[in-house]
Amino acid sequence: SIIRTILRSSGINAEYEIFDVDIAIAKQSGTISTMLDDLCMDEEDDDPVPLPNVSTMILKKVITWCKHHKDDPPKPEDEENMEKRTDDIDSWDQDFLKVDQGTLFELILAANYLDIKGLLDVTCKTVANMIKGKKAEEIRKTFNIKNDFTPEEEEQIRKENEWCEDP
């Protein structure tokens, strides 16, 4: 059972690219699953599902990720009480996410928009690992963030947050 998704890539001459995707893979996206249900679409329909908020390159990566993870068991619903870990990214995902920062952040946005929890979790954990153990200045350098605090403001923030610093 195949479903068609249509994508309008961003740019001056917005183009459409059609992807034929197995319906089980497409339904890993909560957004697409809801669209299909709301529009009463199934594999018999030839109408493509529009995804204007995801670029062609990123959608290709999302589809690759979904294909690889199609047989993963569902995550437990009650994750609120689970310990949040960042050291449990499998080696395939680690290799898959060895991309430039722009691509990584676009994957986060796409996973969020498409409501693909597993992909959102693993991309966010990857960013968390890039931050973990670094001082504020190192984080600014890693993510090219301008420091817009005055030295006085920065000192005040440090004092207010001393409780969370390592001894």
Side-chain angles (χ1 to χ4, degrees), residues 62-112:
V62 168
I63 292 168
T64 299
W65 188 91
C66 288
K67 283 179 179 176
H68 180 78
H69 289 279
K70 72 181 181 315
D71 297 323
D72 288 3
K75 297 267 190 222
E77 286 297 312
D78 186 25
E79 287 199 9
E80 294 300 315
N81 300 322
M82 289 181 63
E83 181 184 340
K84 302 292 185 207
R85 298 176 51 191
T86 62
D87 62 349
D88 58 348
I89 301 172
D90 72 42
S91 60
W92 188 92
D93 284 335
Q94 287 178 25
D95 288 341
F96 177 79
L97 294 172
K98 286 181 181 167
V99 295
D100 62 85
Q101 277 184 24
T103 301
L104 181 59
F105 287 115
E106 281 190 61
L107 281 167
I108 290 171
L109 292 172
N112 187 46

Side-chain angles (χ1 to χ4, degrees), residues 6-22:
I6 190 167
L7 172 80
R8 181 173 50 244
S9 59
S10 47
I12 297 168
N13 300 325
E15 293 179 18
Y16 294 90
E17 184 163 343
I18 293 180
F19 297 86
D20 290 328
V21 179
D22 184 282

